[in-house]
Every structure is written in structure tokens, then in C-alpha cells.
Amino acid sequence: MSVSNVERRIVDIAYVFCIMYLSIFTFLYKTTGFAYATVGIMTLLLGIDILLSRKVGINIPVCFIIIYISIMFLMAFLIYEIDETDAYFKSFIILGTVGFYFANRQPDFKKVMVINSLFFSFYMLIGGGAKELEVDYFNMSCAMLPGICSLILASLIFMKEKKKIAGLLFFLLGIYFLFVLALHGSRSSIVSIFVFILILLWFYFDFLWMKIAVMCVCLATLGFVLNIEQALGSISNFLNRYGIEFYAISKSIEKLHGSSGITSGRNIIQKQVFENLNVLNVLFGKGISSFEATYGTYPHNIVLNLFVDYGLIGVAFFSYIIVLTIKILKRKDQNEKMIIILLFSSAIVPLLFSFTYWRYPAFFLYIGIVLSKRKQIKYKR
């Protein structure tokens, strides 16, 4: 095997590791030495790729981001003496750096999707993933997102190549796990899959009727949100007639009638983001782990998380990334569309409801890929 082929394999493995990290983590986190194994795998991937390519593939904007975040961490260590600062820093060094680094590399998209799909299917059917979902539905349902998305995207690739049997097999597996997620998954994971399907239908397929259908679904969703209590009650009553219960619906109804509300108290946490702000805080943020040091938790929303960490600068940067994302999705390169749809649906959407971005290598991979395509977006259509 030539050096270039080995390098491509390393890039493919790195993409799989970043995208499927949450699934891998839930699969192996009870294993002794998992943290050391993670560091070893990441370091090995970086080292081999640098040796083979003889260059460090990080572009200037990403270098600037790494330097800026490193300075913010230095300030956080000096100001906030909490465990979260240390944990976030280690996560950024181990996961963020690898995500940023390999974003500039071009993987074999088909292989990445297929490997993701096979690993996820093995994990769920044989490796105990189904049991893990029953024990820890919240984390596990979000860990399922990249696997389900990969199965559906891989089926589209096979169908396009006229490999109908493989395409049908992957599609049926995707639908099966989608049904499992609908029955037992968290509300954020259900929303993420819903967004994935809408984005896929709108940007991947070039049919006018499909775009009209997506717009109708979006309008219906708006009506659902505006009348959420009545809508959830009607859906629940309909499903109960046939003995079907969706955990996300039951949980939402329970929360609607509870003291914490449908947001499970997150709205109270998120209001605290805007407490005791001055002009500098609004523009530049309060610093990494500042919210955790004050309130003992994180904001449970990526936009608010970036605001409290970096201020309006962080929010403006994220908005810029979203604009670039839309421009990428409008282009004709189907491979680019697939990886962006996968990363956005499985890494960005869940962060709108919970979790913190420091734990998501796919978040950094997503940011890096979008930034690496900005010149192509500008000069090519």
C-alpha cells in the first residue's frame, strides 16, 4: 500500500472517530484506561498523518481560533479554580485539536459513512447498545444520532451506485433504529433526527414538490409548537388506542404539568446567562467555565454557551459558520452536503438543548470543515 493510500486510511479513521465518538464513548467508557486509550488513538492518528503528509494541515483561521481559545483557557485557569476548567481544557486538546486538524483533509465519504453504519449496527445489535439505551436514555439516544444518520446517508450512496440490495439493507436498518429512537429517545434526539430529515430532503434532493412538502411540514411544526399542549395530548391519545407509547411524548406531557415546565427547568438556567452583565461581558463574554463556576452547571444551549464564554464575538462567529453552512448546502457537491448534514444534525442540533460543546469532537470537525471550504464558497458555485 502506498504512502498516499495509508494517509487516506488515517483520515478516514479520524473522521469516523470524531463523528462516532459519543457512540464509542458510551460503548467503552466503563473500560479501564479508556481515557488513556482515547489520548493514544488521537495522538497516533495525528502523528502518523503529519509524518506521512510532512505538513501540519491547519489553516490560518483555525490557528487563530486555537490560539484565542488557548488564551481564554489561560485566563480561566487563573480566575476559576474548578474541575470543569481542567476537564474542558483536556477535552479541547484531545478532541478539539484532532477535529480541527483533520477538517482540512478529504476523506473517502462513502467509507466513512459505511464504517460508521457498521460500527453502530454492531454496537446496537450485539454490543449492548439497546440495553444502554434503557439504562441511560438521555446520553445514549444522542449517541445514536450519527449512526442513524450514517445508515440513511450510506443507503443513498448505494442507491446512487445502483447497489440496490446494500442500499435497501442500510435503509431498513436506519428505519429500524429510527423507530427504536422514536420509542425510547430523548426529546432533543427526536428533534435532531427531524431536522436531519428536513435538511436532507431540502438540500440533497432537487425536486420542487419535495421542497413544497418540507415547507408544509415546517408550517405544521410551527402550529404544533404554538399549540403544543393540545397537540401532544391528541397524539398521545391516538397512540394509546393502539398500545404505543413514545417516551419523548410522555415526558413532554409530564413536564408540561410539572413545576419545571416542558424545558425541565432549563429556561431558569438560561435566564441566569444574562445576570450581572457589563459591557465587556456582552462583547467578550465572561470566560470559559465562568458560568459553571457561578451556577454549577452549563447553559444547556450552544448559542448561550458561546455568548457566556466569548460574548457577542462568539455568537457572531457561530452565525457566520451557519451562513457558510447554508452556502455549502446550496452547492452541487453531494459529498460535502452529506458530511455537513451529518455533522450539523448529530452534533450541532443536540447542543441547542443540552450538553456542552467541549465534549463534541464532531463540533470542532464541523467548524473546521466549514472554514476550510470558505474560499471555495466564495469563488465557486
Side-chain angles (χ1 to χ4, degrees), residues 12-29:
D12 294 343
I13 294 169
Y15 266 72
V16 169
F17 200 86
C18 287
I19 294 169
M20 298 299 293
Y21 177 77
L22 287 179
S23 297
I24 295 170
F25 183 79
T26 52
F27 186 42
L28 298 175
Y29 77 97

Side-chain angles (χ1 to χ4, degrees), residues 178-224:
L178 192 60
F179 184 70
V180 171
L181 186 71
L183 286 176
H184 306 291
S186 66
R187 291 169 292 172
S188 59
S189 64
I190 302 298
V191 173
S192 299
I193 282 293
F194 182 68
V195 170
F196 165 76
I197 293 170
L198 290 182
I199 294 175
L200 184 66
L201 294 177
W202 183 275
F203 288 105
Y204 189 82
F205 299 99
D206 195 20
F207 301 116
L208 178 60
W209 66 268
M210 197 169 284
K211 296 184 187 299
I212 294 172
V214 170
M215 286 190 287
C216 291
V217 171
C218 290
L219 289 172
T221 303
L222 178 61
F224 175 86

Side-chain angles (χ1 to χ4, degrees), residues 171-328:
F171 180 75
L172 291 176
L173 279 171
I175 296 300
Y176 169 72
F177 290 124
L178 192 60
F179 184 70
V180 171
L181 186 71
L183 286 176
H184 306 291
S186 66
R187 291 169 292 172
S188 59
S189 64
I190 302 298
V191 173
S192 299
I193 282 293
F194 182 68
V195 170
F196 165 76
I197 293 170
L198 290 182
I199 294 175
L200 184 66
L201 294 177
W202 183 275
F203 288 105
Y204 189 82
F205 299 99
D206 195 20
F207 301 116
L208 178 60
W209 66 268
M210 197 169 284
K211 296 184 187 299
I212 294 172
V214 170
M215 286 190 287
C216 291
V217 171
C218 290
L219 289 172
T221 303
L222 178 61
F224 175 86
V225 172
L226 293 174
N227 301 277
I228 189 165
E229 187 169 357
Q230 297 90 331
L232 284 174
S234 300
I235 293 171
S236 179
N237 291 333
F238 174 78
L239 293 174
N240 286 338
R241 292 177 192 171
Y242 301 95
I244 302 172
E245 182 180 359
F246 286 172
Y247 178 82
I249 294 175
S250 302
K251 183 81 172 180
S252 298
I253 294 173
E254 177 189 332
K255 291 294 181 182
L256 273 171
H257 297 98
S259 57
S260 60
I262 196 169
T263 63
S264 300
R266 287 183 176 85
N267 59 320
I268 299 172
I269 296 172
Q270 290 163 0
K271 285 179 182 177
Q272 294 170 331
V273 169
F274 303 100
E275 293 178 356
N276 304 317
L277 291 176
N278 57 41
V279 176
L280 287 177
N281 295 151
V282 172
L283 291 175
F284 303 105
K286 293 183 177 180
I288 295 169
S289 71
S290 59
F291 192 85
E292 289 84 341
T294 306
Y295 300 104
T297 186
Y298 50 90
H300 290 75
N301 179 279
I302 179 61
V303 178
L304 295 179
N305 210 156
L306 292 173
F307 175 73
V308 77
D309 286 353
Y310 314 106
L312 289 178
I313 290 177
V315 176
F317 172 74
F318 187 68
S319 302
Y320 172 66
I321 293 296
I322 297 300
V323 171
L324 289 181
T325 298
I326 294 171
K327 290 183 177 180
I328 291 173

Side-chain angles (χ1 to χ4, degrees), residues 307-349:
F307 175 73
V308 77
D309 286 353
Y310 314 106
L312 289 178
I313 290 177
V315 176
F317 172 74
F318 187 68
S319 302
Y320 172 66
I321 293 296
I322 297 300
V323 171
L324 289 181
T325 298
I326 294 171
K327 290 183 177 180
I328 291 173
L329 293 175
K330 286 182 177 179
R331 297 176 68 201
K332 294 182 178 180
D333 191 321
Q334 298 289 58
N335 285 332
E336 280 185 5
K337 287 182 182 181
M338 281 193 172
I339 197 69
I340 291 297
I341 292 172
L342 171 62
L343 291 172
F344 183 84
S345 303
S346 60
I348 304 303
V349 179

